[in-house]
Amino acid sequence: MRLTTVAWRNVWRNKRRSMIILVSIMVGVIATVLMDALSRGMIVQMLENQIRSHISHLQIHRDGFRDNPVIQATIPNADSVENALKAVQGISYSPRVLTYGLISSASNSAGIFLVGVDAEREKRITSVSASLVAGEYLTDKPNEAVVGEALAEKLGVGLGDRIVAMASAVDGHVGSDVFRIVGLFETFSSEFDKSTMYVPIANAQSMLALRGQVSEFALITSDLERLPAIQKTLKEQLGEKYEVYTYGEIVPLLLAVVDMYDQSMAIFYAIIGIALIFGIINTMLMSVFERIHEFGVLKAIGMPDSRLLMMVLLEALHLGVIGTALGFAIGYVLYIPLSHTGLDLRMFSEGLRSFGVGAIIYPVLTWGSVANALLIIPFISVLGALYPALRAAHLTPVSAIRHV
Amino acid sequence: MNLLLKLGWRNIWRNKRRSIITISAVIFAVMLSIAMRGIQLGTYEVNIRHVVELFSGYIQIQAEGYQKNPSLQKSFPITDSLRALLAADSRIIAFAPRIVGDGLVSFRDNSQGTAILGIEPEQERRVSTLATRVVSGHFLNSGDAHEIVVGYKLLENLKAKLGDEVVVLSQGFDGSLGNLKFTIVGTIKTGTELLDRNAVFTTLDAAQELLVLYGRVSLLALRLADLTDIPDVQKPLNEALHSQKLVVLSWNEVMPDLEQSIKLDNVSGILMLGILVVVVGFGITNTVLMSVTERFREFGIVLSIGMQQQRLAMLVMIETLIIVLIGLLAGNILAYGINSYIAGHPIEFTGEYADIYAEYGWLPRIESTVRFSSFLNTTLSMLGISILAAVYPILRVVRLEPLKGIRHT
């Protein structure tokens, strides 16, 4: 009879004990799978929201713009950039004019980040047009403005009201223009909503005395895997006068937060693993001790130590694998509906918004987490069985046979 | 009862190894839970104190509706009766008047949107730690007209340096646009991205001149003796100021996002420890069940010579509780050691994570606190789960028929 078969039968000699350890492994696995999916979902949403509200996957500027984003640092030759972008497959891009300014209503004023966009193209890369809570997104009509709802509230204005925007122009003068609010948006970032205003790119250019120049090209790729390659191609084609940055380079903090979450998940895995290992050591130890007589007989008739050791380890591995498989199956069944409906954390919405995450978290299970969950717990089971298995292997046959 | 206790104690040590492993599991869970709760709560408390003392104040007095719509229209004068009211409460250590406006600061070709913060330097020093955050130059002094302290990042973004003159443009209380020239005399670094990147601090007088807000302020920030004093101070003050259309808001009402981030972190921490306790609970069930099953023969005998089933059940419960109580005791002592050590020696960290913490306005530091409630909660939940864990094995004992037990091998 093969060793695995023996080990398998041994596991079921004491059904109740095996079931209880299986249930505790299952609880551990279900908990880790769901916690992992939930925090992963939060991270994915945070990244996606940041990218989709404004940052986009890749930004192209005149070299030096990122360190010193002044209005004078415009793209040297917008046509050649557009030509280079047109040659890239599977992307959407949008030109933007960016500056910091001040807007005033009759009652209040606020410092803002002014973004001049081409409405149709911007719609394709960012989700602000889909985050409107009132009114419409920009059309091609002049002097329209879309602002965050929080910003409008602060200024005490609503749809249809006029606001005055001011910002320093290319020539050093303060340029200003009157805009009519046509839309209000609410994204996942309270900070962004309080400080951002979208206007037609032509208006922004005339207000800032730009002659058709733009500050930035932002692009979104349909296949994130290709992003490094796209960046490389564009860098080579555009040359020294331009800077081409991915979102990871623009907000390194985002990736650092992802790292931090990965680490806290690792700690969580470790804690649950340690808690489980106590149960496994105890179970395996008990099952070894009640079979001392039997092990003595096996050794006396010539079973090598290594095979005995292997048999006990295999018993633990069976427990680990079955527990993990069942736990994962249940966790997955719970995960499926949750990933559609999401987990409503509305009571923490302000806190979540300060992290740039919406109030409903949609858990995300990645292959990495699946692999972690499926490998770690069986490994821990074997680890926990090591001491009991060694005890079994080192028994002296004669005294073991006499053991009752 | 005495007999049962004695029996239980001896039974536990009949299989030393098993009991010790179970006790270790309880110790691990209890120690980890209490230590982590201590670290979480301690870190929250230190950070809240840090944030409120940095700038917001423990509580603020604002005009009604200012929190939602912070405009200059919602400013108010500091009346003598208001002063008298604040002076009367000994728990209010100090108060600082502030003006908050928005503007555009320009240096040569560079302009940046900015928050204009008018403060009274002497009073500010007593309420916030702002003055200690100066990284270059000096803090404002009373009577310094037309001098400003700016966030260090704002200075970098403007490409300006100390001593440079900048122009601040803003819309005043009356709706008119005004501008004033200021000399940069210092920079501050608060770790709060918003202040470091946006803030321009000037004296109350200069801000009132720029914003045409003579005699009025946007808010009063109050420093209290302790965070726990907030409810006691807030309530009577709120009632007294109601007639003047002023409201008193605590730090968590001024910064709801901070409070909710803390709550979210807190809940996820509790959830994690809950899972840990449940997993250990299953371990306890297993141990008790094994120890019960291997004694079925023995139980059968004591039942047939007349021991009552309830007494036997009681015995199993006592055994479980002894194991758990030893674990709880040791876990509590170890956790107390960890918590008080970290409370005395906070762990500072640097590098990438320090930046993340700073971004969210947290101190890059792990603190702890020895709080009775976290010891009590963990102990009670561990006890509760242990009693639950013993239910199934005890049911097995209660259902045991003496003869079957005797014949059990």
Side-chain angles (χ1 to χ4, degrees):
Chain A
M1 204 154 44
R2 279 170 49 232
L3 207 54
T4 40
T5 323
V6 179
W8 175 254
R9 291 194 182 158
N10 280 340
V11 167
W12 298 110
R13 278 165 66 181
N14 191 331
K15 287 206 190 72
R16 191 164 295 113
R17 182 172 59 209
S18 296
M19 285 307 291
I20 290 177
I21 191 72
L22 281 181
V23 172
S24 56
I25 292 175
M26 278 157 63
V27 171
V29 172
I30 295 170
T32 43
V33 165
L34 291 183
M35 283 289 270
D36 195 339
L38 212 55
S39 41
R40 174 74 45 196
M42 207 160 132
I43 286 296
V44 168
Q45 267 167 270
M46 187 192 76
L47 260 177
E48 190 66 7
N49 289 339
Q50 292 266 6
I51 288 170
R52 282 295 183 164
S53 60
H54 183 75
I55 294 165
S56 79
H57 287 142
L58 199 79
Q59 296 182 355
I60 302 169
H61 312 122
R62 174 191 282 268
D63 189 40
F65 179 83
R66 193 165 76 119
D67 290 332
N68 188 14
V70 291
I71 189 63
Q72 290 82 359
T74 50
I75 298 268
N77 186 341
D79 290 339
S80 71
V81 177
E82 284 215 47
N83 284 334
L85 286 169
K86 272 176 193 150
V88 183
Q89 297 290 312
I91 60 160
S92 307
Y93 64 91
S94 172
R96 292 166 172 171
V97 168
L98 307 170
T99 193
Y100 292 96
L102 182 73
I103 56 172
S104 312
S105 65
S107 65
N108 206 354
S109 54
I112 50 143
F113 181 50
L114 183 91
V115 189
V117 296
D118 173 334
E120 280 315 305
R121 290 156 94 183
E122 186 69 21
K123 266 186 198 169
R124 265 178 257 148
I125 70 161
T126 53
S127 60
V128 172
S129 55
S131 312
L132 295 177
V133 288
E136 305 285 325
Y137 194 62
L138 301 174
T139 56
D140 282 336
K141 290 186 201 114
N143 295 78
E144 289 180 334
V146 171
V147 299
E149 195 188 24
L151 181 60
E153 223 167 64
K154 181 178 175 185
L155 292 171
V157 292
L159 287 181
D161 288 344
R162 278 164 210 284
I163 46 179
V164 179
M166 278 179 297
S168 58
V170 180
D171 52 17
H173 287 98
V174 173
S176 75
D177 208 341
V178 180
F179 293 92
R180 193 170 52 85
I181 298 176
V182 296
L184 302 176
F185 62 82
E186 184 181 8
T187 67
F188 302 97
S189 159
S190 32
E191 222 33 70
F192 186 75
D193 292 354
K194 270 184 224 158
S195 61
T196 314
M197 162 159 161
Y198 287 91
V199 299
I201 193 162
N203 271 126
Q205 285 166 333
S206 64
M207 173 179 148
L208 301 168
L210 294 167
R211 287 186 205 85
Q213 295 111 311
V214 299
S215 321
E216 167 181 285
F217 279 94
L219 76 85
I220 287 279
T221 164
S222 49
D223 180 9
L224 210 48
E225 301 278 305
R226 280 179 55 228
L227 192 60
I230 295 174
Q231 183 188 23
K232 191 158 168 278
T233 320
L234 287 173
K235 262 187 179 166
E236 279 164 10
Q237 288 200 3
L238 296 173
E240 298 270 295
K241 282 184 178 168
Y242 296 86
E243 56 183 31
V244 182
Y245 287 117
T246 62
Y247 65 93
E249 292 163 325
I250 296 160
V251 267
L253 208 67
L254 272 186
L255 297 184
V257 171
V258 175
D259 260 13
M260 200 153 95
Y261 266 78
D262 280 347
Q263 294 201 359
S264 64
M265 266 328 287
I267 293 173
F268 182 61
Y269 272 107
I271 290 173
I272 295 298
I274 293 173
L276 281 176
I277 217 167
F278 283 110
I280 289 162
I281 294 177
N282 236 349
T283 309
M284 292 316 294
L285 210 54
M286 287 311 106
S287 91
V288 163
F289 275 95
E290 66 183 28
R291 286 182 289 166
I292 287 183
H293 177 76
E294 175 184 328
F295 287 163
V297 175
L298 284 174
K299 290 186 90 165
I301 61 173
M303 186 164 190
D305 288 1
S306 61
R307 272 177 75 80
L308 200 55
L309 182 90
M310 192 55 86
M311 185 181 80
V312 177
L313 291 183
L314 277 173
E315 290 173 22
L317 185 64
H318 279 137
L319 285 172
V321 168
I322 301 168
T324 305
L326 289 176
F328 184 77
I330 296 173
Y332 194 73
V333 167
L334 293 174
Y335 158 76
I336 292 288
L338 211 55
S339 69
H340 291 297
T341 58
L343 190 66
D344 197 334
L345 294 179
R346 200 154 303 167
M347 56 188 298
F348 306 115
S349 62
E350 294 279 330
L352 286 166
R353 273 163 63 81
S354 71
F355 285 105
V357 183
I360 296 178
I361 308 281
Y362 296 90
V364 171
L365 206 53
T366 60
W367 285 113
S369 336
V370 173
N372 272 343
L374 292 183
L375 294 178
I376 289 176
I377 305 292
F379 171 73
I380 279 176
S381 312
V382 174
L383 204 65
L386 210 53
Y387 168 67
L390 281 172
R391 296 277 315 196
H394 290 157
L395 288 171
T396 328
V398 179
S399 56
I401 288 175
R402 288 197 190 124
H403 190 273
V404 276
Chain B
M1 197 63 199
N2 230 336
L3 175 73
L4 284 183
L5 267 181
K6 210 177 267 178
L7 266 178
W9 178 257
R10 291 198 182 151
N11 279 338
I12 290 171
W13 302 114
R14 278 164 67 179
N15 192 331
K16 284 204 193 71
R17 197 176 287 111
R18 180 172 62 204
S19 300
I20 287 173
I21 292 174
T22 312
I23 290 170
S24 316
V26 175
I27 293 176
F28 170 73
V30 170
M31 183 186 78
L32 198 71
S33 300
I34 300 177
M36 280 184 57
R37 290 303 294 155
I39 286 172
Q40 274 189 308
L41 297 177
T43 307
Y44 298 154
E45 195 182 305
V46 168
N47 275 292
I48 291 169
R49 205 180 288 276
H50 164 73
V51 172
V52 301
E53 287 182 5
L54 175 66
F55 195 56
S56 84
Y58 286 68
I59 56 182
Q60 287 188 359
I61 298 176
Q62 306 175 346
E64 271 174 16
Y66 177 84
Q67 178 65 20
K68 197 158 171 55
N69 178 11
S71 81
L72 296 179
Q73 311 308 317
K74 303 247 161 62
S75 55
F76 58 93
I78 309 176
T79 57
D80 289 338
S81 66
L82 180 55
R83 267 180 216 283
L85 205 59
L86 296 177
D89 195 326
S90 62
R91 286 164 301 193
I92 301 174
I93 292 179
F95 72 93
R98 292 186 190 148
I99 288 174
V100 183
D102 280 286
L104 195 67
V105 54
S106 312
F107 176 67
R108 299 205 179 115
D109 291 345
N110 279 323
S111 307
Q112 297 278 329
T114 176
I116 301 163
L117 299 157
I119 54 173
E120 195 64 76
E122 283 320 306
Q123 284 171 285
E124 198 59 47
R125 275 176 218 270
R126 287 196 289 273
V127 170
S128 70
T129 55
L130 208 60
T132 65
R133 301 283 163 166
V134 171
V135 284
S136 64
H138 61 84
F139 195 62
L140 299 170
N141 293 310
S142 298
D144 280 351
H146 305 156
E147 292 192 346
I148 53 168
V149 169
V150 302
Y152 79 104
K153 275 196 183 152
L154 181 63
L155 189 80
E156 278 172 21
N157 289 340
L158 284 173
K159 305 276 168 223
K161 55 186 191 306
L162 290 187
D164 281 338
E165 272 198 340
V166 294
V167 175
V168 179
L169 176 77
S170 181
Q171 187 182 29
F173 180 60
D174 55 0
S176 68
L177 278 179
N179 59 57
L180 274 182
K181 260 189 189 169
F182 289 96
T183 308
I184 301 175
V185 296
T187 60
I188 54 152
K189 184 177 182 177
T190 59
T192 306
E193 189 64 16
L194 214 60
L195 287 179
D196 292 348
R197 204 182 53 218
N198 274 326
V200 165
F201 294 92
T202 173
T203 59
L204 207 60
D205 292 343
Q208 285 174 338
E209 182 186 346
L210 177 65
L211 301 167
V212 206
L213 207 60
Y214 301 102
R216 300 171 79 87
V217 298
S218 303
L219 59 94
L220 293 182
L222 274 59
R223 179 178 187 142
L224 306 186
D226 198 82
L227 285 171
T228 52
D229 289 335
I230 291 176
D232 300 340
V233 177
Q234 190 185 5
K235 201 160 174 282
L237 209 52
N238 233 337
E239 281 158 12
L241 291 173
H242 187 71
S243 59
Q244 303 186 34
K245 294 215 177 302
L246 296 178
V247 288
V248 185
L249 301 175
S250 58
W251 67 269
N252 45 340
E253 291 165 306
V254 175
M255 300 174 288
D257 48 344
L258 175 66
E259 194 198 17
Q260 289 193 356
S261 323
I262 289 176
K263 276 191 180 157
L264 182 69
D265 192 76
N266 197 16
V267 166
S268 65
I270 291 173
L271 191 68
M272 205 164 121
L273 297 175
I275 294 168
L276 174 68
V277 168
V278 169
V279 169
V280 170
F282 276 101
I284 295 172
T285 304
N286 225 353
T287 312
V288 178
L289 189 71
M290 282 188 281
S291 87
V292 165
T293 344
E294 70 183 20
R295 284 182 288 163
F296 269 0
R297 211 177 111 80
E298 172 184 327
F299 285 169
I301 293 170
V302 291
L303 283 176
S304 53
I305 58 172
M307 181 141 174
Q308 288 159 311
Q309 226 112 14
Q310 300 100 290
R311 275 173 72 81
L312 208 49
M314 186 67 85
L315 177 68
V316 176
M317 185 53 90
I318 286 173
E319 289 174 23
T320 313
L321 287 180
I322 292 175
I323 286 183
V324 174
L325 287 175
I326 295 174
L328 279 172
L329 189 68
N332 271 293
I333 291 170
L334 284 172
Y336 178 81
I338 296 175
N339 278 350
S340 40
Y341 179 80
I342 298 180
H345 307 80
I347 305 163
E348 299 263 353
F349 52 96
T350 51
E352 200 177 32
Y353 291 161
D355 295 341
I356 303 179
Y357 270 59
E359 172 78 2
Y360 293 116
W362 296 85
L363 286 172
R365 195 194 289 171
I366 291 174
E367 283 275 351
S368 188
T369 179
V370 181
R371 201 170 298 177
F372 180 68
S373 66
S374 43
F375 286 82
L376 187 71
N377 290 341
T378 308
T379 302
L380 288 181
S381 49
M382 198 69 231
L383 260 182
I385 206 97
S386 313
I387 291 170
L388 275 181
V391 165
Y392 176 63
I394 284 174
L395 275 179
R396 300 266 311 163
V397 171
V398 171
R399 290 208 197 109
L400 188 69
E401 290 168 34
L403 266 182
K404 274 197 181 150
I406 291 174
R407 289 194 192 126
H408 187 90
T409 43

